[in-house]
Amino acid sequence: MGDNALWNMKASALLELMTAGEVSATEVVEAFLDRISEVEPKVGAFLEVMREEGLAQARRIDKLRQSGEYPGLLGGLPVAVKDNICVAGARCTSGSRMLANWIAPYDATVVRALKEQGAVIIGKTNMDEFAMGSSTENSALGLTRNPWDPRRVPGGSSGGSAAAVAAGEVPLALGSDTGGSVRQPAAFTGVTGLKPTYGRVSRYGLVAFASSLDQIGPIAADVKDVCLLMDVISGFDERDSTSEDRPVPSYSRVLSKSARGLKAGVPKECLTQGVSRGVRECFERALEILEDLGIGIKETSLPMIRYALDCYYIIAPAEASSNLSRFDGVRYGLRAEAKSLEEMYMRTRRNFGPEVRRRIMLGTFALSAGYYDAYYLRAAKVRTLIRRDFKRAFEEFDILLSPTTPTTAFLLGERTQDPLSMYMADVLTVPANLAGLPALSVPCGFEDVPSGGNGEKETLRRLPVGLQITGRPFDEETVLCAGYAFYQAVAAAVEAELTCMRKGLGQVG
Ligand code: GLN
């Protein structure tokens, strides 16, 4: 198991090998399937592994290549898909008992795009039920651990996708991000994740959580691989009326652009929101690196983002309470036996987990006649003010910088009894969703925390820290360009740690 094992390679490198005919798609897919068998008992990233379908698709790609045909942008690369995104013929549970046996009748637009470009869908990943959560602990169907420390959460709600990439079980994955669910788990597991601009990527075939916030986004080991996925999934879709019909650049091409001369703002509000010392230190070092790269850095203020979390936790549950009313036992998923229609609704809906029920109740309350003005309407107004703050900031700056999360990965069980402390994990990521902006999380260093071993055995664990780069609407290019430039400066150090962690994971015991 050397550093150059196929499963330890990035998508871009694997693609080069396959294109040069040095390895086949079948060999690549087999390598990742073996890796999944090896480490999955420790990680638990997948709800379903699609071994046979994956191998069949890999063989098809190999045949295409052998006959000199182009197998697509992702020809032969394994991709994992979060379990709230439809893959025709496969279960799509959204981490819920409600949909535990629901088979998707069609492909989501992003999945169809992946298939058209030769990707090999290798499995469906674990997630917080209906994407509500920040630790994947709200999944009704399985436990996912952080590959850096099995006692810790991988983040959420796309915790399975992020953990799978970090553990070397798959080079590319899709997640969804309503308030940080791509970026926060990417940060907690030391990989890269992008929430695209609202409207950039089709959500047709994504189980809706909060429709004015949801976006599908890529997770991969580095910015280059994120660009590769963005090149495939971006663009207009007439099946999603919120997707925007505008030209899509080649994201992979922006990597050759220089980040020198970009202007970056650091909102001072971001560093007061419970940011731990380790995270702050990494962030400050990241700023120095960016300055050395010729990016101008200046403190700024977005006064209204102090209210972003409160605003999010009214708007997202309000929309969820409406979206989830479709799970009544009549058309989708689980239906409980009962004598009357009302009893059937009640018994069926009792299968939502506690967090989902909490959100439905909060949301229904916020939308109810007597409280609509005081809660929902007010939150909608605050959202407008937050958008204005960003708009103003982007008159002066090209990008905004903050840590992705206030802390590194917390312990399993640490926050489950206290929803507010769980919600705090999103305090730095929700503003981008409220304003519809693209935002990237890229690894920027590590915080050392005690391993929890007893007495003399006490050693330090390295936990990854993420840097968040937010940009103007539909300007993923600048965000990715800055992220790529930054990552080049830290890649050697970050990837040495990643490889070391991955090797440890493969060892028995
Ligand atoms: N953790 C946030 C929540 O629980 C965000 C979830 C997400 O982005 N899907 O709502």
Side-chain angles (χ1 to χ4, degrees):
M1 191 170 49
D3 291 7
N4 47 8
L6 288 176
W7 54 259
N8 195 37
M9 292 176 68
K10 281 178 276 193
S12 53
L14 291 165
L15 205 51
E16 274 174 33
L17 286 182
M18 287 190 283
T19 310
E22 285 174 37
V23 294
S24 67
T26 308
E27 284 168 309
V28 168
V29 171
E30 275 171 353
F32 283 97
L33 286 170
D34 289 348
R35 174 72 179 168
I36 290 174
S37 308
E38 185 185 13
V39 302
E40 191 55 7
K42 289 189 188 165
V43 183
F46 286 89
L47 289 173
E48 180 161 6
V49 177
M50 295 151 83
R51 172 173 282 275
E52 297 315 317
E53 300 94 312
L55 286 169
Q57 167 75 344
R59 283 192 287 266
R60 265 197 300 277
I61 300 294
D62 285 333
K63 279 215 189 87
L64 280 181
R65 275 214 181 86
Q66 276 155 18
S67 57
E69 277 176 72
Y70 176 61
L73 221 46
L74 303 177
L77 287 174
V79 181
V81 176
K82 185 177 181 179
D83 212 22
N84 58 352
I85 301 173
C86 291
V87 176
R91 259 201 300 270
C92 185
T93 68
S94 260
S96 180
R97 277 163 57 185
M98 213 50 131
L99 290 174
N101 295 307
W102 186 66
I103 310 276
Y106 62 90
D107 279 331
T109 298
V110 290
V111 169
R112 181 192 286 200
L114 289 176
K115 288 180 176 172
E116 279 169 7
Q117 292 300 331
V120 177
I121 313 281
I122 203 172
K124 303 290 301 285
T125 55
N126 198 16
M127 55 181 285
D128 286 298
E129 183 173 10
F130 287 108
M132 297 172 189
S134 313
S135 67
T136 311
E137 289 165 296
N138 294 336
S139 170
L141 305 174
L143 175 70
T144 304
R145 296 173 187 277
N146 191 318
W148 294 87
D149 179 351
R151 298 172 310 137
R152 291 177 188 273
V153 303
S157 62
S158 315
S161 287
V165 172
E169 294 177 282
V170 71
L172 302 170
L174 290 184
S176 68
D177 190 314
T178 304
S181 280
V182 161
R183 292 159 285 156
Q184 187 257 21
F188 275 15
T189 60
V191 297
T192 302
L194 174 73
K195 182 198 89 72
T197 309
Y198 187 76
R200 175 88 294 179
V201 175
S202 166
R203 301 158 328 155
Y204 179 71
L206 168 71
V207 178
F209 164 9
S211 304
S212 76
L213 304 160
D214 299 339
Q215 264 296 287
I216 291 174
I219 298 176
D222 73 356
V223 179
K224 198 170 175 186
D225 285 0
V226 159
C227 289
L228 199 58
L229 271 179
M230 278 300 285
D231 283 337
V232 173
I233 64 172
S234 303
F236 175 64
D237 177 14
E238 58 183 16
R239 289 185 158 122
D240 175 358
S241 60
T242 64
S243 82
E244 285 210 29
D245 194 1
R246 26 165 114 211
V248 181
S250 158
Y251 294 110
S252 296
R253 213 167 292 152
V254 308
L255 302 181
S256 56
K257 287 192 189 159
S258 166
R260 189 163 289 280
L262 286 179
K263 287 194 241 140
V266 179
K268 62 172 190 243
E269 293 77 11
C270 289
L271 287 170
T272 56
Q273 313 243 29
V275 176
S276 76
R277 210 178 76 199
V279 169
R280 181 188 297 262
E281 283 169 7
C282 277
F283 179 64
E284 277 161 7
R285 243 171 301 146
L287 295 183
E288 284 166 19
I289 293 173
L290 287 161
E291 241 169 359
D292 290 345
L293 291 168
I295 296 180
I297 294 186
K298 217 175 113 187
E299 190 182 91
T300 183
S301 173
L302 274 72
M304 293 307 289
I305 62 171
R306 266 180 293 149
Y307 304 110
L309 198 65
D310 306 359
C311 176
Y312 172 85
Y313 275 99
I314 292 172
I315 290 177
E319 294 183 17
S321 72
S322 153
N323 271 326
L324 268 54
S325 65
R326 59 167 67 90
F327 300 105
D328 56 7
V330 178
R331 280 196 64 186
Y332 301 95
L334 193 94
R335 178 198 299 228
E337 289 300 322
K339 291 199 192 71
S340 68
L341 182 65
E342 195 183 336
E343 194 190 339
M344 192 277 281
Y345 286 157
M346 302 255 288
R347 288 208 176 166
T348 299
R349 289 173 70 81
R350 233 173 258 158
N351 285 284
F352 284 127
E355 182 61 26
V356 175
R357 289 199 219 180
R358 182 179 297 125
R359 303 282 179 111
I360 292 174
M361 286 192 281
L362 284 173
T364 307
F365 179 77
L367 290 173
S368 61
Y371 295 97
Y372 180 90
D373 289 1
Y375 293 103
Y376 185 76
L377 191 63
R378 180 166 290 198
K381 288 179 179 168
V382 171
R383 182 177 190 174
T384 302
L385 296 177
I386 292 169
R387 282 173 179 265
R388 267 192 217 153
D389 271 4
F390 274 110
K391 196 155 185 270
R392 208 173 305 123
F394 283 122
E395 281 163 15
E396 183 179 353
F397 301 105
D398 302 300
I399 50 173
L400 296 172
L401 304 169
S402 74
T404 307
T405 54
T407 68
T408 48
F410 43 90
L411 293 168
L412 285 160
E414 190 182 322
R415 301 196 184 182
T416 41
Q417 297 312 313
D418 180 3
L420 291 185
S421 76
M422 190 67 92
Y423 297 171
M424 274 306 287
D426 309 315
V427 68
L428 300 173
T429 47
V430 296
N433 299 77
L434 289 168
L437 305 170
L440 178 77
S441 178
V442 60
C444 70
F446 297 88
E447 178 182 45
D448 288 326
V449 298
S451 71
N454 44 0
E456 290 151 40
K457 290 231 179 88
E458 183 81 307
T459 50
L460 290 178
R461 279 269 176 187
R462 317 222 81 181
L463 295 180
V465 174
L467 165 71
Q468 178 170 245
I469 306 176
T470 306
R472 299 187 179 100
F474 294 97
D475 192 11
E476 280 82 2
E477 281 170 288
T478 303
V479 168
L480 291 164
C481 172
Y484 184 68
F486 171 76
Y487 187 70
Q488 295 310 97
V490 296
V494 167
E495 288 173 19
E497 295 288 346
L498 186 72
T499 297
C500 176
M501 177 279 282
R502 284 172 167 180
K503 280 190 187 165
L505 207 57
Q507 276 150 19
V508 276

